[in-house]
Amino acid sequence: YGADVISRIQAAQSGLADELRKSITEDITELIRLLLDKNEILPKRLEHITIAGNTTMLHLLRGYSCDDLGKYPYKAVSLKLEEHAVKEVFPQLSEVPDTCRITILPGFSAFVGADILSGLYALDTEFREKKNKILFLDLGTNGEMAVWTGQNMMVTSTAAGPVFEGGEISRGTGSIPGAIAHVHITAEGCSISTIGNATPCGICGTGVMEAAAALYKAGIADETGLLAEPYFQKGYPLYTDKNGQKIFFTQQDIRKVQLGKAAIRAGIEILLKKAGIETKQITQVYIAGGFGSQVDFEAIRQLDLLPNTLLSDTKIVGNTSLYGTLRFMLVQNAKEEVNMLAECVYEIALAQNPEFEEQYVAHMNFESEDAHEL
């Protein structure tokens, strides 16, 4: 139904909402059963399920209309914390007792959802330290980000596309065994490593970023992203199997990376300006999202994803959305804490900011100058 939320909203509007909801609930039901079975836990012992996700996916999960999510002013049916009986959300999960409760975490807006709130909640102790000024990036389809000023939280989102999760890449894949996660290119050729050291089957988010950065660093792609001959037509071969079949990284793949990273960098510039914070004041940067393994910080520098002054203070923190749901179930007063977090955040709308396009264009090339910063 589409690799991004806009495509899924359009699918729901075209009459496929029930199919989308069924797809989601059946998949999650299957995963719950798998977890219970692998851990030898009887279904009757399941007491609590906590769910985070982007606003569109949670609307589809609950059967809410997505009509207003897809048009200005982008209004959600509900952004509040919700509690349900298990059968209301997963009717297929008949073996789980009715006493099992489901909590769906609150979100901030149509495009900054419960997955971001959950991620911020996972790092909550860092934000409680008043002297810290923290930048949080979730490099998924929406490119959500937040900044903690030491006194308040500001959030925004930008349409980065699914490139950071391997989406819309010619041989893109999720972070699964066999996904190319690391890429190095030298004069001797290309070397790769895959998740689980399995046979290469595609390229995931970290591999996508590192491939683009490696091609630029090796001079095979110039600062505008243009691939040199003889690679312009078919792309650069990252891997060749015993039958001669190749996994290429193409010119179009590089363009997708440029579009995604320019959107992220422009969003950072606008968010920090609105928060009244200079990059040198940021004490910590957390990068969450669809990364199968830790991305090389040299790749981040080469791609101009972050201002260079922030790289030494940057950590890859993985699936903070999942960590936040776990924390919610372990902290006694978690409901009050997440509701307070949902209510005390100020959102910046990049689509209405005239400076966003200027910054977007300024950071389209690789390794552009920090003079472009606001």
Side-chain angles (χ1 to χ4, degrees):
Y1 303 98
D4 58 89
V5 295
I6 298 300
S7 297
R8 294 171 189 172
I9 289 170
Q10 292 171 346
Q13 290 173 329
S14 69
L16 297 174
D18 289 341
E19 289 184 35
L20 281 158
R21 186 181 189 187
K22 183 180 179 183
S23 175
I24 295 164
T25 57
E26 286 182 348
D27 277 356
I28 297 177
T29 295
E30 182 181 343
L31 290 170
I32 290 171
R33 286 172 175 159
L34 179 64
L35 279 175
L36 293 175
D37 181 60
K38 291 291 185 182
N39 291 281
E40 298 182 349
I41 297 172
L42 295 174
K44 66 181 182 181
R45 292 187 57 199
L46 193 57
E47 299 176 358
H48 193 183
I49 299 170
T50 302
I51 301 174
N54 65 59
T55 304
T56 298
M57 291 298 287
L58 292 184
H59 272 48
L60 293 170
L61 174 69
R62 289 171 287 182
Y64 292 162
S65 171
C66 294
D67 289 351
D68 289 337
L69 292 178
K71 60 184 180 183
Y72 186 82
Y74 311 111
K75 293 292 185 181
V77 172
S78 173
L79 293 168
K80 296 184 180 300
L81 183 146
E82 296 184 6
E83 293 182 323
H84 298 276
V86 66
K87 301 298 190 296
E88 294 175 357
V89 182
F90 303 111
Q92 306 98 327
L93 207 57
S94 57
E95 64 270 39
V96 172
D98 293 339
T99 52
C100 177
R101 67 191 190 278
I102 289 181
T103 302
I104 297 176
L105 295 182
F108 295 123
S109 69
F111 293 113
V112 186
D115 50 344
I116 305 307
L117 179 139
S118 186
L120 294 173
Y121 185 59
L123 300 169
D124 183 59
T125 54
E126 299 291 331
F127 297 117
R128 290 180 186 273
E129 181 60 55
K130 296 299 183 183
K131 66 180 180 181
N132 286 343
K133 289 181 172 57
I134 297 173
L135 179 65
F136 174 86
L137 307 174
D138 189 295
L139 299 184
T141 304
N142 290 340
E144 297 101 333
M145 57 194 74
V147 63
W148 170 248
T149 68
Q151 297 178 318
N152 54 55
M153 187 86 73
M154 301 177 74
V155 301
T156 193
S157 67
T158 179
V163 62
F164 296 110
E165 296 172 339
E168 296 185 352
I169 296 297
S170 57
R171 289 296 299 275
T173 185
S175 300
I176 60 174
I180 296 172
H182 294 289
V183 177
H184 297 281
I185 298 173
T186 65
E188 287 71 39
C190 178
S191 63
I192 62 170
S193 60
T194 65
I195 296 175
N197 293 319
T199 302
C201 63
I203 183 166
C204 68
T206 51
V208 168
M209 291 181 67
E210 291 190 16
L215 288 168
Y216 171 57
K217 186 176 182 180
I220 298 171
D222 66 19
E223 67 175 18
T224 71
L226 183 66
L227 273 175
E229 293 294 354
Y231 306 113
F232 178 77
Q233 293 296 330
K234 287 188 175 181
Y236 183 87
L238 300 178
Y239 170 77
T240 304
D241 68 15
K242 60 184 180 182
N243 297 317
Q245 297 298 310
K246 300 178 185 293
I247 294 178
F248 288 98
F249 196 72
T250 70
Q251 182 66 70
Q252 187 63 24
D253 294 337
I254 292 178
R255 295 300 183 219
K256 293 290 185 182
V257 172
Q258 289 180 281
L259 293 171
K261 72 95 178 179
I264 294 294
R265 181 64 187 269
I268 292 171
E269 302 289 353
I270 301 297
L271 182 63
L272 293 183
K273 182 182 181 183
K274 289 292 184 181
I277 294 177
E278 297 180 16
T279 56
K280 64 183 179 182
Q281 295 177 283
I282 296 292
T283 55
Q284 188 68 65
V285 180
Y286 293 109
I287 299 181
F291 290 105
S293 55
Q294 183 167 325
V295 70
D296 182 359
F297 284 103
E298 176 63 14
I300 293 177
R301 187 188 72 78
Q302 295 280 351
L303 296 180
D304 186 43
L305 183 65
L306 289 175
N308 287 338
T309 53
L310 296 182
L311 290 178
S312 61
D313 301 313
T314 298
K315 291 181 181 178
I316 304 293
V317 288
N319 193 342
T320 52
S321 177
L322 187 62
Y323 305 150
T325 62
L326 178 61
R327 183 168 190 260
F328 179 86
M329 292 189 286
L330 298 177
V331 174
Q332 188 172 5
N333 60 336
K335 187 186 296 186
E336 291 77 12
E337 289 180 348
V338 297
N339 280 329
M340 186 179 300
L341 178 58
E343 293 169 0
C344 72
V345 167
Y346 179 71
E347 184 182 16
I348 304 297
L350 292 181
Q352 300 171 12
N353 192 306
E355 293 174 306
F356 178 76
E357 185 174 350
E358 176 186 340
Q359 287 295 308
Y360 182 71
V361 172
H363 291 288
M364 192 67 69
N365 287 356
F366 295 138
E367 224 173 4
S368 58
E369 296 296 326
D370 278 350
H372 288 309
E373 294 176 33
L374 291 172

